[in-house]
Amino acid sequence: MSGDKEKEKSKTHKLSLKGSSKLVAEFFEYSINTILFQRGVYPAEDFSPVKKYGLNMLVSSDDQVRAYIKKIMSQLNKWMLGGKISKLVVVITDKETSENVERWQFDVQLFGKPNKKSSSRKEGDKENAAPGTAQAAPDKTEKEIQDEIQAIFRQITASVTFLPQLDGNCTFNVLVYADADSEVPLEWGDSDAKDIKDGEKVQLRGFSTANHKVDTLVSYRYLTSQSGERDM
């Protein structure tokens, strides 16, 4: 009987809340780097290869970008552990016009937690969440979770086939939607939602653990040529 139990345990390893929070935060970190590379926000030579999720990934080797992401992740990890995060957004902005041209949104649900008011922090637009409690997901093996995460990164990579080509003169910001009662560092400030005006939206894949569910959505602006036609 005990042998059967151990066998069953090896098939499905239930992540603790702490382990699940760490996994989601780490996913965000690699997502930011992948978006910056795939969308050409920084030159390809500014990235270094790493192995993660059974995939060949690329992370920024630029000191300023690394410091910015590290600063975000340091606070994000604390908020994730406290169950305070409802959304993370990566916004790509045209440097010349200051227009938001692309918006990658990652919605986070913590199973068993009633939804609260949240505000977005920048370094975040205020919005109300619908009342209710997210239902827990069935237990999954680590491989099943990794397979779901792999599928998201493959979609981000493949997004270049339908997203408009960026002109290469862009920058980015990260917004973190945290509960209104979250402790916020002084250097972080409130932000508007940085939505894409008249943008198109594409729902991508998501993943879930026993504690969290993450959904992915990308919004983008069609680039208009001088003739008035839409460029893709």
Side-chain angles (χ1 to χ4, degrees), residues 12-188:
T12 306
H13 173 64
K14 184 172 182 178
L15 280 171
S16 65
L17 179 58
K18 185 176 180 180
S20 181
S21 298
K22 182 181 177 182
L23 184 147
V24 173
E26 196 173 56
F27 164 78
F28 286 152
E29 183 174 2
Y30 281 96
S31 294
I32 294 169
N33 278 281
T34 300
I35 291 165
L36 295 182
F37 174 76
Q38 293 296 339
R39 302 306 292 134
V41 178
Y42 296 97
E45 56 267 26
D46 286 358
F47 292 82
S48 303
V50 295
K51 193 83 173 179
K52 187 67 179 176
Y53 308 118
L55 298 171
N56 294 316
M57 311 283 285
L58 287 152
V59 297
S60 177
S61 51
D62 180 277
D63 289 341
Q64 286 188 323
V65 176
R66 285 167 64 91
Y68 177 72
I69 294 175
K70 183 179 179 181
K71 184 178 177 183
I72 292 165
M73 295 312 302
S74 176
Q75 185 58 46
L76 186 69
N77 282 318
K78 295 173 186 175
W79 280 336
M80 280 297 305
L81 283 171
K84 300 291 188 181
I85 301 295
S86 61
K87 194 181 301 183
L88 179 135
V89 177
V90 181
V91 182
I92 299 175
T93 306
D94 186 303
K95 282 183 180 178
E96 292 183 4
T97 65
S98 298
E99 187 176 3
N100 302 320
V101 294
E102 216 165 274
R103 187 179 189 273
W104 294 80
Q105 178 174 308
F106 300 91
D107 293 310
V108 186
Q109 282 187 305
L110 175 60
F111 295 128
K113 176 192 173 185
N115 290 326
K116 293 181 180 180
K117 284 185 178 180
S118 66
S119 62
S120 64
R121 310 288 179 181
K122 177 184 173 185
E123 204 11 340
D125 150 40
K126 295 186 168 73
E127 63 180 37
N128 297 327
T133 302
Q135 298 301 308
D139 291 347
K140 294 178 179 177
T141 63
E142 289 182 2
K143 185 181 184 308
E144 286 173 329
I145 296 171
Q146 178 169 289
D147 287 348
E148 290 181 353
I149 292 175
Q150 280 184 353
I152 298 172
F153 282 113
R154 288 194 176 105
Q155 276 197 315
I156 294 174
T157 300
S159 67
V160 296
T161 61
F162 67 84
L163 290 173
Q165 185 174 348
L166 301 178
D167 63 9
N169 192 25
C170 294
T171 186
F172 80 103
N173 280 298
V174 176
L175 310 182
V176 180
Y177 284 64
D179 289 350
D181 61 355
S182 302
E183 290 187 20
V184 183
L186 291 175
E187 64 269 24
W188 286 60

